[in-house]
Amino acid sequence: MLLSRTAQERTVKIERLDHDLYLARGEALDSNATIYVSNGEALLVDALGGRPDAQQLKAFVEGELGKRVRFILATHYFSDHLAGLNLFPEAQVLAHRNYRHTFDSEQYRSDEERSFFRRPDILLGDSLLLHWGRFTLDVFYNPGHTMSTLGVEVPEADLLHVGDTLVGNLVYFLYSTPELLAQALLNLKRRGRGRLLASHQGLASPVALDHGLHYLQRLEERVRQARQQSDPKQAILGIAAAECFPAGVTPTDFESFFHRRNLNSVIDRRLYE
């Protein structure tokens, strides 16, 4: 259920998933933040990708819900999920111990996005079990998209946070390897949850995990074929996202953008040779 805008014409989309669970989707890169409510407090998973979005998130949680943010859990430490960290100075930030590796390796970042950085208060290793209200957050290390990526399983909501291990129906391996991402997808599949939530866009079906695995397999096949052509570089760059998607699944502009980055990464790093 989508909630109506406030009088200030909020541009962040707020979706109520349950009476104590909300999803906020910002305009900047369609990054999201999930709000788990317990009595007078809230726990956030991720914190949006733009400052105006984060300010509206703060206004919603504190003003409309009347809650104080106590914890912010970062699925990974790229700046497009950190915009709200410094707006909640009393909240404790949780992240994987490799957070700095992720933040320092990020490309395509603006000076404003760099300013979102805040050192985490609590560093995690392989796992954490956090009870929050009626929810159990089973946090587990799942490197794939980055070396700091955490997955979060919430049985009471039949929900699995996957970070950016999935970007729609594909994976983005600029900061990793296709092999590591394939293993991360299999780790998520074994959780068997009915609803997925990546760090961009809204709720997704678990079939998206199969689509991501399909994408990796077909991309490898198409790249190996392209390397046999007289001009392998141009042949690789000519691989369309639709060629790597399952039948009946049409790539969005968002997915096609990251597919093109993957192709450049294949060439630059000589993957699949």
Side-chain angles (χ1 to χ4, degrees):
M1 178 179 66
L2 290 176
L3 302 183
S4 61
R5 290 182 177 180
T6 65
Q8 289 75 30
E9 288 297 294
R10 180 175 60 229
T11 55
V12 170
K13 299 174 183 177
I14 303 293
E15 184 176 359
R16 183 175 176 178
L17 306 182
D18 210 327
H19 70 278
D20 50 1
L21 178 59
Y22 301 83
L23 177 64
R25 294 173 57 184
E27 285 193 309
L29 298 173
D30 206 4
S31 293
N32 62 44
T34 312
I35 307 158
Y36 291 87
V37 172
S38 175
N39 296 320
E41 297 181 315
L43 179 152
L44 307 182
V45 176
D46 290 332
L48 301 181
R51 195 178 305 281
D53 293 340
Q55 290 169 338
Q56 291 183 45
L57 173 66
K58 179 180 175 69
F60 173 72
V61 175
E62 295 182 347
E64 296 185 49
L65 295 182
K67 309 300 181 184
R68 178 178 74 94
V69 175
R70 183 175 176 187
F71 295 110
I72 305 174
L73 174 62
T75 59
H76 59 296
Y77 236 68
F78 278 154
S79 58
D80 56 336
H81 308 292
L82 309 180
L85 296 190
N86 291 310
L87 297 184
F88 301 100
E90 295 183 356
Q92 290 190 298
V93 176
L94 294 80
H96 188 266
R97 62 177 71 250
N98 291 340
Y99 77 95
R100 191 78 213 199
H101 176 277
T102 296
F103 189 81
D104 288 346
S105 67
E106 185 176 3
Q107 301 180 33
Y108 313 111
R109 181 168 54 207
S110 68
D111 289 340
E112 180 186 34
E113 290 170 333
R114 181 174 293 276
S115 73
F116 298 159
F117 179 83
R118 172 182 163 185
R119 187 177 68 182
D121 302 285
I122 301 172
L123 297 182
L124 309 182
D126 290 338
S127 64
L128 172 73
L129 199 63
L130 178 60
H131 296 285
W132 182 255
R134 68 181 181 93
F135 299 107
T136 304
L137 280 72
D138 184 357
V139 186
F140 58 97
Y141 184 42
N142 197 35
H145 175 61
T146 73
M147 293 300 101
S148 70
T149 296
L150 298 169
V152 187
E153 182 181 11
V154 188
E156 296 82 1
D158 194 20
L159 182 63
L160 185 62
H161 293 267
V162 304
D164 279 349
T165 304
L166 274 174
V167 179
N169 292 288
L170 55 73
V171 300
Y172 178 43
F173 48 74
L174 177 64
Y175 303 98
S176 181
T177 67
E179 295 79 7
L180 195 57
L181 271 161
Q183 184 58 57
L185 291 173
L186 291 173
N187 291 342
L188 295 166
K189 274 179 64 68
R190 281 193 286 269
R191 295 279 168 162
R193 287 298 158 197
R195 299 193 295 179
L196 297 185
L197 187 58
S199 296
H200 297 273
Q201 305 179 315
L203 288 171
S205 164
V207 74
L209 297 170
D210 294 316
H211 293 170
L213 289 166
H214 180 97
Y215 172 83
L216 283 171
Q217 180 181 352
R218 284 293 295 146
L219 179 63
E220 179 177 359
E221 292 171 358
R222 293 293 294 112
V223 169
R224 292 190 184 280
Q225 293 168 1
R227 290 203 183 279
Q228 306 305 313
Q229 304 301 311
S230 59
D231 189 343
K233 179 178 179 179
Q234 288 306 310
I236 291 170
L237 292 175
I239 298 171
E243 298 176 54
C244 304
F245 274 38
V249 180
T250 302
T252 64
D253 291 342
F254 192 72
E255 292 164 334
S256 295
F257 174 83
F258 287 101
H259 170 71
R260 288 191 293 272
R261 283 193 178 175
N262 279 342
L263 296 180
N264 283 306
S265 188
V266 166
I267 293 169
D268 294 343
R269 297 162 59 190
R270 302 176 66 174
L271 299 177
Y272 304 127
E273 284 194 345

